[in-house]
Amino acid sequence: MAKIVVIGSLNMDVVAVTPRIPVAGETIIGLKFFTAPGGKGANQAYAAAKLGGKVGMLGRVGDDDFGRAMRQNLESAGCETSGVRAIAGASGVALIFVAGSGENSIVVVGGANDRLAPEDIARHAAVFDECAVALLQLETPLQTITAAARYAKERGAKVILDPAPAPGHALPQALLQAVDILTPNETEAAILSGLPPARLNAGEAETIGKKLRGLGPATVIMKLGEQGCLLIEQDGSTLIPSPKVTALDTTAAGDVFNAALAVGLSEKMELVEACRFAVRAAALSVTRLGAQSAAPARAEVNAFRAG
Ligand code: RIB
């Protein structure tokens, strides 16, 4: 089976469910607390494996209980973790508020993720054997992400970059030139094209998507939340609507989308078909609490199509 390699972050999510997101200086009473494995990289790896993909992960954790728990969770879904190196120090953590509306706010403290180095790519070259799709995000050092994208591209893999969290600056040309598919949400797309963060109307989304294509990636897939996604290619754009669901927690919906997109492409689905698969998987994930705990199984996504 063609393999998906995820290069990215592993965080332990420290989550408070609250009636609403507190404002600066405010103390509010929470409703529920839990810790669970997260991190955009690990979420994508876990979700892809749960959807039936053959997945290898490359990243760094600390030599602590969080690191061990995060590795174990990936393995429980069937991910290959030989590329997840434990180093002295603390694992990454994410402090998350989830409000009753389903919205969230997240602060990530990178820990071991900040020390994923370009040399780690060649050190774990075996993880890239039979790699058909490489999945990257922006929670590890940019130099390493660029090295990984180029390494995967040179080996013939399709490179997907999820530009999240949105960088406060333009992405390096060397990275964008190695990316085949860029998958921003609306805010990230606006920021990457030099505009203030904003929700976009259909016309703006298409204009910005075309602008981002001009930076290197042949395809831009803009994630539009409950509206689905906009697939922007050389010969035009296609809106792929999302099924309607009631959102409980939107944390990691974008990660599930990218995971499903990668699984679809590794199974040689057409891009439009892979996007349909991805919006269904992401819609299912927002009906559940947490990141990896919300990732749907393949059978659930297939059944959702039938429903
Ligand atoms: O995309 C959701 C993820 O962002 C969370 O799991 C958290 O760890 C942060 O990385």
Side-chain angles (χ1 to χ4, degrees), residues 236-300:
S237 308
T238 315
L239 179 68
I240 292 131
S242 168
K244 298 281 168 270
V245 291
T246 303
L248 176 68
D249 179 5
T250 56
T251 308
D255 297 332
V256 171
F257 180 98
N258 274 57
L261 177 69
V263 169
L265 295 177
S266 75
E267 293 178 5
K268 303 213 180 316
M269 286 182 198
E270 294 295 326
L271 254 178
V272 175
E273 196 192 342
C275 286
R276 286 196 195 108
F277 181 59
V279 293
R280 287 200 309 274
L284 269 176
S285 76
V286 304
T287 63
R288 296 161 191 177
L289 204 55
Q292 290 169 38
S293 52
R298 180 60 173 257
E300 294 177 292

Short mmCIF file of all heavy atoms in Angstrom, two decimals, residues 236-300:
data_model
loop_
_atom_site.label_atom_id
_atom_site.label_comp_id
_atom_site.label_asym_id
_atom_site.label_seq_id
_atom_site.Cartn_x
_atom_site.Cartn_y
_atom_site.Cartn_z
N GLY A 236 -9.72 26.05 -13.12
CA GLY A 236 -10.94 26.55 -12.48
C GLY A 236 -11.09 26.11 -11.04
O GLY A 236 -10.21 25.47 -10.49
N SER A 237 -12.23 26.49 -10.47
CA SER A 237 -12.46 26.21 -9.05
C SER A 237 -13.75 25.42 -8.86
O SER A 237 -14.70 25.61 -9.61
CB SER A 237 -12.61 27.52 -8.28
OG SER A 237 -11.53 28.36 -8.57
N THR A 238 -13.76 24.57 -7.84
CA THR A 238 -14.94 23.77 -7.55
C THR A 238 -15.24 23.87 -6.06
O THR A 238 -14.35 23.63 -5.23
CB THR A 238 -14.67 22.27 -7.86
OG1 THR A 238 -14.03 22.18 -9.12
CG2 THR A 238 -15.94 21.45 -7.86
N LEU A 239 -16.48 24.23 -5.72
CA LEU A 239 -16.88 24.27 -4.31
C LEU A 239 -17.41 22.89 -3.93
O LEU A 239 -18.29 22.35 -4.60
CB LEU A 239 -17.96 25.33 -4.08
CG LEU A 239 -18.47 25.43 -2.65
CD1 LEU A 239 -17.39 25.96 -1.71
CD2 LEU A 239 -19.70 26.33 -2.57
N ILE A 240 -16.85 22.34 -2.87
CA ILE A 240 -17.31 21.03 -2.39
C ILE A 240 -17.99 21.26 -1.05
O ILE A 240 -17.34 21.55 -0.05
CB ILE A 240 -16.13 20.04 -2.29
CG1 ILE A 240 -15.65 19.74 -3.71
CG2 ILE A 240 -16.55 18.73 -1.63
CD1 ILE A 240 -14.23 19.85 -3.90
N PRO A 241 -19.33 21.20 -1.02
CA PRO A 241 -20.05 21.53 0.21
C PRO A 241 -19.88 20.46 1.29
O PRO A 241 -19.65 19.29 0.98
CB PRO A 241 -21.51 21.64 -0.23
CG PRO A 241 -21.60 20.93 -1.53
CD PRO A 241 -20.23 20.83 -2.13
N SER A 242 -20.01 20.91 2.54
CA SER A 242 -19.92 19.97 3.66
C SER A 242 -21.32 19.52 4.05
O SER A 242 -22.26 20.31 3.99
CB SER A 242 -19.26 20.70 4.84
OG SER A 242 -19.39 19.93 6.01
N PRO A 243 -21.45 18.26 4.51
CA PRO A 243 -22.74 17.86 5.07
C PRO A 243 -23.01 18.71 6.31
O PRO A 243 -22.08 19.14 6.98
CB PRO A 243 -22.52 16.40 5.48
CG PRO A 243 -21.18 16.00 5.00
CD PRO A 243 -20.43 17.21 4.59
N LYS A 244 -24.27 18.96 6.60
CA LYS A 244 -24.65 19.78 7.78
C LYS A 244 -24.59 18.92 9.03
O LYS A 244 -25.14 17.82 9.07
CB LYS A 244 -26.07 20.33 7.62
CG LYS A 244 -26.22 21.25 6.42
CD LYS A 244 -25.67 22.66 6.69
CE LYS A 244 -25.53 23.51 5.44
NZ LYS A 244 -24.24 23.41 4.74
N VAL A 245 -23.90 19.43 10.06
CA VAL A 245 -23.83 18.73 11.35
C VAL A 245 -23.92 19.76 12.47
O VAL A 245 -23.75 20.96 12.21
CB VAL A 245 -22.49 17.95 11.51
CG1 VAL A 245 -22.40 16.78 10.57
CG2 VAL A 245 -21.29 18.88 11.35
N THR A 246 -24.15 19.33 13.68
CA THR A 246 -24.11 20.24 14.83
C THR A 246 -22.73 20.11 15.46
O THR A 246 -22.33 19.03 15.91
CB THR A 246 -25.19 19.86 15.86
OG1 THR A 246 -26.45 19.89 15.18
CG2 THR A 246 -25.21 20.82 17.03
N ALA A 247 -21.98 21.23 15.46
CA ALA A 247 -20.59 21.19 15.95
C ALA A 247 -20.54 21.23 17.47
O ALA A 247 -21.14 22.08 18.11
CB ALA A 247 -19.81 22.36 15.37
N LEU A 248 -19.78 20.26 18.03
CA LEU A 248 -19.55 20.22 19.48
C LEU A 248 -18.17 20.80 19.77
O LEU A 248 -17.96 21.52 20.74
CB LEU A 248 -19.65 18.76 19.95
CG LEU A 248 -19.35 18.47 21.40
CD1 LEU A 248 -20.44 19.09 22.27
CD2 LEU A 248 -19.30 16.96 21.65
N ASP A 249 -17.19 20.45 18.89
CA ASP A 249 -15.81 20.90 19.11
C ASP A 249 -15.10 20.88 17.75
O ASP A 249 -14.95 19.82 17.14
CB ASP A 249 -15.13 19.92 20.10
CG ASP A 249 -13.68 20.28 20.37
OD1 ASP A 249 -13.20 21.32 19.89
OD2 ASP A 249 -13.01 19.48 21.07
N THR A 250 -14.65 22.05 17.30
CA THR A 250 -14.00 22.12 15.98
C THR A 250 -12.49 21.85 16.04
O THR A 250 -11.83 21.86 15.00
CB THR A 250 -14.24 23.50 15.34
OG1 THR A 250 -13.76 24.51 16.24
CG2 THR A 250 -15.70 23.74 15.04
N THR A 251 -11.95 21.59 17.23
CA THR A 251 -10.51 21.32 17.35
C THR A 251 -10.12 20.17 16.41
O THR A 251 -10.77 19.13 16.41
CB THR A 251 -10.15 20.90 18.80
OG1 THR A 251 -10.65 21.86 19.70
CG2 THR A 251 -8.64 20.77 18.98
N ALA A 252 -9.08 20.39 15.62
CA ALA A 252 -8.51 19.34 14.76
C ALA A 252 -9.38 18.97 13.55
O ALA A 252 -9.04 18.02 12.84
CB ALA A 252 -8.16 18.08 15.55
N ALA A 253 -10.45 19.73 13.29
CA ALA A 253 -11.25 19.42 12.09
C ALA A 253 -10.38 19.56 10.84
O ALA A 253 -10.45 18.74 9.91
CB ALA A 253 -12.46 20.34 12.00
N GLY A 254 -9.53 20.59 10.84
CA GLY A 254 -8.63 20.79 9.69
C GLY A 254 -7.62 19.64 9.57
O GLY A 254 -7.23 19.25 8.47
N ASP A 255 -7.21 19.10 10.72
CA ASP A 255 -6.25 17.97 10.69
C ASP A 255 -6.92 16.73 10.09
O ASP A 255 -6.31 16.00 9.31
CB ASP A 255 -5.76 17.66 12.11
CG ASP A 255 -5.01 18.83 12.72
OD1 ASP A 255 -4.42 19.62 11.95
OD2 ASP A 255 -5.01 18.97 13.96
N VAL A 256 -8.17 16.50 10.49
CA VAL A 256 -8.89 15.34 9.95
C VAL A 256 -9.10 15.52 8.45
O VAL A 256 -8.97 14.57 7.67
CB VAL A 256 -10.23 15.14 10.70
CG1 VAL A 256 -11.08 14.07 10.03
CG2 VAL A 256 -9.96 14.75 12.16
N PHE A 257 -9.41 16.76 8.04
CA PHE A 257 -9.57 17.04 6.61
C PHE A 257 -8.29 16.65 5.86
O PHE A 257 -8.33 15.91 4.85
CB PHE A 257 -9.87 18.54 6.40
CG PHE A 257 -10.06 18.92 4.96
CD1 PHE A 257 -11.34 19.04 4.42
CD2 PHE A 257 -8.97 19.13 4.11
CE1 PHE A 257 -11.51 19.37 3.07
CE2 PHE A 257 -9.13 19.45 2.78
CZ PHE A 257 -10.42 19.57 2.26
N ASN A 258 -7.14 17.13 6.35
CA ASN A 258 -5.88 16.84 5.64
C ASN A 258 -5.54 15.36 5.64
O ASN A 258 -5.03 14.82 4.65
CB ASN A 258 -4.74 17.65 6.26
CG ASN A 258 -4.66 19.03 5.65
OD1 ASN A 258 -5.62 19.77 5.69
ND2 ASN A 258 -3.54 19.37 5.05
N ALA A 259 -5.84 14.71 6.76
CA ALA A 259 -5.57 13.27 6.85
C ALA A 259 -6.39 12.52 5.80
O ALA A 259 -5.87 11.66 5.08
CB ALA A 259 -5.93 12.77 8.25
N ALA A 260 -7.67 12.87 5.71
CA ALA A 260 -8.55 12.17 4.76
C ALA A 260 -8.15 12.47 3.32
O ALA A 260 -8.17 11.59 2.45
CB ALA A 260 -10.00 12.57 5.01
N LEU A 261 -7.76 13.71 3.08
CA LEU A 261 -7.29 14.09 1.74
C LEU A 261 -6.08 13.21 1.35
O LEU A 261 -6.01 12.66 0.25
CB LEU A 261 -6.90 15.57 1.74
CG LEU A 261 -6.33 16.13 0.45
CD1 LEU A 261 -7.41 16.20 -0.63
CD2 LEU A 261 -5.74 17.53 0.67
N ALA A 262 -5.15 13.07 2.29
CA ALA A 262 -3.95 12.27 2.03
C ALA A 262 -4.29 10.80 1.79
O ALA A 262 -3.75 10.16 0.89
CB ALA A 262 -2.97 12.40 3.20
N VAL A 263 -5.23 10.29 2.59
CA VAL A 263 -5.63 8.88 2.41
C VAL A 263 -6.26 8.71 1.03
O VAL A 263 -5.93 7.78 0.29
CB VAL A 263 -6.61 8.44 3.53
CG1 VAL A 263 -7.23 7.09 3.22
CG2 VAL A 263 -5.88 8.39 4.88
N GLY A 264 -7.16 9.63 0.68
CA GLY A 264 -7.80 9.55 -0.63
C GLY A 264 -6.77 9.54 -1.75
O GLY A 264 -6.82 8.70 -2.67
N LEU A 265 -5.81 10.45 -1.67
CA LEU A 265 -4.81 10.54 -2.75
C LEU A 265 -3.90 9.31 -2.75
O LEU A 265 -3.49 8.84 -3.82
CB LEU A 265 -4.00 11.83 -2.61
CG LEU A 265 -4.82 13.11 -2.81
CD1 LEU A 265 -3.96 14.35 -2.58
CD2 LEU A 265 -5.47 13.17 -4.19
N SER A 266 -3.60 8.78 -1.56
CA SER A 266 -2.74 7.58 -1.52
C SER A 266 -3.47 6.38 -2.12
O SER A 266 -2.86 5.41 -2.54
CB SER A 266 -2.29 7.27 -0.09
OG SER A 266 -3.36 6.70 0.66
N GLU A 267 -4.81 6.47 -2.15
CA GLU A 267 -5.62 5.39 -2.78
C GLU A 267 -5.97 5.74 -4.22
O GLU A 267 -6.84 5.11 -4.82
CB GLU A 267 -6.91 5.19 -1.97
CG GLU A 267 -6.66 4.63 -0.59
CD GLU A 267 -7.94 4.49 0.23
OE1 GLU A 267 -9.04 4.73 -0.31
OE2 GLU A 267 -7.83 4.13 1.40
N LYS A 268 -5.33 6.79 -4.73
CA LYS A 268 -5.50 7.22 -6.13
C LYS A 268 -6.90 7.74 -6.45
O LYS A 268 -7.37 7.63 -7.58
CB LYS A 268 -5.10 6.12 -7.11
CG LYS A 268 -3.68 5.62 -6.93
CD LYS A 268 -3.07 5.21 -8.25
CE LYS A 268 -1.66 4.69 -8.16
NZ LYS A 268 -0.76 5.43 -7.30
N MET A 269 -7.60 8.28 -5.44
CA MET A 269 -8.87 8.97 -5.74
C MET A 269 -8.54 10.22 -6.56
O MET A 269 -7.47 10.81 -6.40
CB MET A 269 -9.55 9.45 -4.45
CG MET A 269 -10.19 8.39 -3.60
SD MET A 269 -11.00 9.19 -2.16
CE MET A 269 -11.17 7.80 -1.06
N GLU A 270 -9.48 10.64 -7.41
CA GLU A 270 -9.36 11.95 -8.07
C GLU A 270 -9.43 13.02 -6.98
O GLU A 270 -10.04 12.80 -5.93
CB GLU A 270 -10.53 12.16 -9.04
CG GLU A 270 -10.55 11.21 -10.22
CD GLU A 270 -9.35 11.41 -11.14
OE1 GLU A 270 -8.90 12.56 -11.27
OE2 GLU A 270 -8.87 10.42 -11.71
N LEU A 271 -8.84 14.20 -7.28
CA LEU A 271 -8.81 15.26 -6.28
C LEU A 271 -10.20 15.64 -5.74
O LEU A 271 -10.40 15.80 -4.54
CB LEU A 271 -8.19 16.52 -6.90
CG LEU A 271 -6.76 16.85 -6.45
CD1 LEU A 271 -6.26 18.08 -7.19
CD2 LEU A 271 -6.67 17.06 -4.96
N VAL A 272 -11.17 15.76 -6.66
CA VAL A 272 -12.52 16.15 -6.22
C VAL A 272 -13.09 15.09 -5.28
O VAL A 272 -13.70 15.40 -4.25
CB VAL A 272 -13.46 16.33 -7.43
CG1 VAL A 272 -14.88 16.61 -6.99
CG2 VAL A 272 -12.97 17.45 -8.31
N GLU A 273 -12.85 13.83 -5.63
CA GLU A 273 -13.37 12.73 -4.80
C GLU A 273 -12.69 12.74 -3.43
O GLU A 273 -13.32 12.56 -2.39
CB GLU A 273 -13.10 11.42 -5.54
CG GLU A 273 -13.89 10.24 -5.01
CD GLU A 273 -13.36 8.92 -5.60
OE1 GLU A 273 -12.65 8.96 -6.63
OE2 GLU A 273 -13.63 7.90 -4.98
N ALA A 274 -11.36 12.98 -3.44
CA ALA A 274 -10.62 13.03 -2.17
C ALA A 274 -11.11 14.19 -1.31
O ALA A 274 -11.20 14.08 -0.08
CB ALA A 274 -9.13 13.15 -2.44
N CYS A 275 -11.46 15.32 -1.95
CA CYS A 275 -12.00 16.47 -1.19
C CYS A 275 -13.36 16.12 -0.60
O CYS A 275 -13.67 16.50 0.53
CB CYS A 275 -12.13 17.71 -2.08
SG CYS A 275 -10.56 18.48 -2.46
N ARG A 276 -14.19 15.41 -1.35
CA ARG A 276 -15.52 15.02 -0.81
C ARG A 276 -15.35 14.12 0.40
O ARG A 276 -16.03 14.26 1.41
CB ARG A 276 -16.33 14.28 -1.88
CG ARG A 276 -16.86 15.21 -2.94
CD ARG A 276 -17.97 14.54 -3.77
NE ARG A 276 -18.19 15.32 -4.95
CZ ARG A 276 -17.84 14.97 -6.19
NH1 ARG A 276 -17.30 13.79 -6.42
NH2 ARG A 276 -18.05 15.78 -7.20
N PHE A 277 -14.40 13.19 0.28
CA PHE A 277 -14.10 12.27 1.38
C PHE A 277 -13.62 13.09 2.60
O PHE A 277 -14.04 12.85 3.74
CB PHE A 277 -13.02 11.31 0.89
CG PHE A 277 -12.58 10.27 1.87
CD1 PHE A 277 -13.49 9.37 2.41
CD2 PHE A 277 -11.24 10.18 2.26
CE1 PHE A 277 -13.07 8.39 3.32
CE2 PHE A 277 -10.83 9.21 3.16
CZ PHE A 277 -11.74 8.33 3.69
N ALA A 278 -12.79 14.09 2.34
CA ALA A 278 -12.20 14.89 3.42
C ALA A 278 -13.25 15.75 4.13
O ALA A 278 -13.24 15.86 5.36
CB ALA A 278 -11.08 15.77 2.87
N VAL A 279 -14.18 16.36 3.39
CA VAL A 279 -15.19 17.19 4.07
C VAL A 279 -16.13 16.31 4.91
O VAL A 279 -16.56 16.72 5.99
CB VAL A 279 -16.02 18.11 3.12
CG1 VAL A 279 -15.19 19.20 2.49
CG2 VAL A 279 -16.78 17.36 2.08
N ARG A 280 -16.39 15.10 4.45
CA ARG A 280 -17.25 14.21 5.25
C ARG A 280 -16.54 13.81 6.55
O ARG A 280 -17.13 13.83 7.63
CB ARG A 280 -17.61 12.95 4.45
CG ARG A 280 -18.61 13.18 3.35
CD ARG A 280 -19.28 11.89 2.94
NE ARG A 280 -18.36 10.80 2.65
CZ ARG A 280 -17.79 10.60 1.48
NH1 ARG A 280 -18.03 11.41 0.46
NH2 ARG A 280 -16.97 9.59 1.29
N ALA A 281 -15.25 13.47 6.43
CA ALA A 281 -14.50 13.06 7.63
C ALA A 281 -14.40 14.22 8.61
O ALA A 281 -14.60 14.05 9.83
CB ALA A 281 -13.10 12.58 7.22
N ALA A 282 -14.13 15.44 8.11
CA ALA A 282 -13.99 16.62 8.98
C ALA A 282 -15.33 16.94 9.64
O ALA A 282 -15.38 17.27 10.84
CB ALA A 282 -13.48 17.81 8.19
N ALA A 283 -16.43 16.82 8.88
CA ALA A 283 -17.75 17.11 9.45
C ALA A 283 -18.05 16.15 10.60
O ALA A 283 -18.56 16.54 11.65
CB ALA A 283 -18.83 17.01 8.37
N LEU A 284 -17.73 14.88 10.41
CA LEU A 284 -17.96 13.91 11.49
C LEU A 284 -17.13 14.26 12.73
O LEU A 284 -17.61 14.15 13.86
CB LEU A 284 -17.53 12.52 11.02
CG LEU A 284 -18.58 11.65 10.36
CD1 LEU A 284 -17.95 10.36 9.86
CD2 LEU A 284 -19.70 11.33 11.36
N SER A 285 -15.89 14.72 12.51
CA SER A 285 -14.99 14.97 13.64
C SER A 285 -15.50 16.10 14.54
O SER A 285 -15.27 16.07 15.75
CB SER A 285 -13.57 15.28 13.16
OG SER A 285 -13.49 16.60 12.66
N VAL A 286 -16.19 17.10 13.98
CA VAL A 286 -16.62 18.23 14.83
C VAL A 286 -17.82 17.87 15.70
O VAL A 286 -18.21 18.64 16.57
CB VAL A 286 -16.93 19.52 14.02
CG1 VAL A 286 -15.75 19.94 13.18
CG2 VAL A 286 -18.18 19.38 13.16
N THR A 287 -18.39 16.70 15.48
CA THR A 287 -19.52 16.28 16.34
C THR A 287 -19.01 15.62 17.63
O THR A 287 -19.80 15.18 18.45
CB THR A 287 -20.45 15.30 15.60
OG1 THR A 287 -19.72 14.10 15.30
CG2 THR A 287 -21.00 15.90 14.32
N ARG A 288 -17.65 15.54 17.77
CA ARG A 288 -17.07 14.87 18.94
C ARG A 288 -16.05 15.77 19.62
O ARG A 288 -15.46 16.63 18.97
CB ARG A 288 -16.33 13.60 18.49
CG ARG A 288 -17.29 12.62 17.89
CD ARG A 288 -16.56 11.63 17.06
NE ARG A 288 -17.53 10.89 16.31
CZ ARG A 288 -17.24 9.96 15.43
NH1 ARG A 288 -15.99 9.66 15.18
NH2 ARG A 288 -18.19 9.33 14.80
N LEU A 289 -15.80 15.48 20.88
CA LEU A 289 -14.87 16.28 21.66
C LEU A 289 -13.43 15.80 21.46
O LEU A 289 -13.18 14.59 21.37
CB LEU A 289 -15.26 16.11 23.14
CG LEU A 289 -14.88 17.20 24.13
CD1 LEU A 289 -15.37 18.57 23.69
CD2 LEU A 289 -15.45 16.86 25.50
N GLY A 290 -12.48 16.74 21.39
CA GLY A 290 -11.07 16.39 21.36
C GLY A 290 -10.49 16.39 19.96
O GLY A 290 -11.16 16.73 18.98
N ALA A 291 -9.20 16.01 19.88
CA ALA A 291 -8.47 16.02 18.60
C ALA A 291 -8.43 14.59 18.05
O ALA A 291 -9.28 14.20 17.25
CB ALA A 291 -7.08 16.60 18.82
N GLN A 292 -7.46 13.80 18.50
CA GLN A 292 -7.36 12.42 17.99
C GLN A 292 -8.59 11.60 18.41
O GLN A 292 -9.04 10.73 17.68
CB GLN A 292 -6.05 11.79 18.48
CG GLN A 292 -4.86 12.43 17.77
CD GLN A 292 -3.51 12.08 18.35
OE1 GLN A 292 -3.27 10.96 18.76
NE2 GLN A 292 -2.61 13.07 18.37
N SER A 293 -9.15 11.94 19.57
CA SER A 293 -10.33 11.19 20.03
C SER A 293 -11.54 11.45 19.14
O SER A 293 -12.51 10.69 19.17
CB SER A 293 -10.66 11.59 21.47
OG SER A 293 -10.75 13.00 21.56
N ALA A 294 -11.49 12.50 18.32
CA ALA A 294 -12.63 12.83 17.45
C ALA A 294 -12.47 12.27 16.04
O ALA A 294 -13.39 12.38 15.22
CB ALA A 294 -12.80 14.34 17.38
N ALA A 295 -11.31 11.67 15.75
CA ALA A 295 -11.05 11.20 14.37
C ALA A 295 -11.96 10.01 14.04
O ALA A 295 -12.02 9.04 14.79
CB ALA A 295 -9.58 10.77 14.24
N PRO A 296 -12.68 10.09 12.92
CA PRO A 296 -13.60 8.99 12.59
C PRO A 296 -12.89 7.79 11.96
O PRO A 296 -11.83 7.93 11.36
CB PRO A 296 -14.54 9.63 11.56
CG PRO A 296 -13.72 10.69 10.91
CD PRO A 296 -12.74 11.18 11.94
N ALA A 297 -13.49 6.62 12.10
CA ALA A 297 -12.99 5.41 11.43
C ALA A 297 -13.49 5.41 9.98
O ALA A 297 -14.48 6.08 9.66
CB ALA A 297 -13.48 4.17 12.16
N ARG A 298 -12.83 4.64 9.14
CA ARG A 298 -13.19 4.59 7.72
C ARG A 298 -14.66 4.19 7.52
O ARG A 298 -15.38 4.79 6.72
CB ARG A 298 -12.25 3.59 7.01
CG ARG A 298 -12.51 3.42 5.52
CD ARG A 298 -12.31 4.78 4.83
NE ARG A 298 -12.37 4.66 3.40
CZ ARG A 298 -11.29 4.68 2.61
NH1 ARG A 298 -10.09 4.82 3.11
NH2 ARG A 298 -11.41 4.59 1.32
N ALA A 299 -15.07 3.18 8.27
CA ALA A 299 -16.45 2.68 8.10
C ALA A 299 -17.46 3.78 8.41
O ALA A 299 -18.51 3.87 7.78
CB ALA A 299 -16.68 1.48 9.00
N GLU A 300 -17.13 4.63 9.39
CA GLU A 300 -18.05 5.72 9.75
C GLU A 300 -18.16 6.73 8.61
O GLU A 300 -19.24 7.22 8.30
CB GLU A 300 -17.56 6.44 11.00
CG GLU A 300 -17.58 5.59 12.25
CD GLU A 300 -17.00 6.35 13.43
OE1 GLU A 300 -15.78 6.62 13.44
OE2 GLU A 300 -17.77 6.69 14.33
#
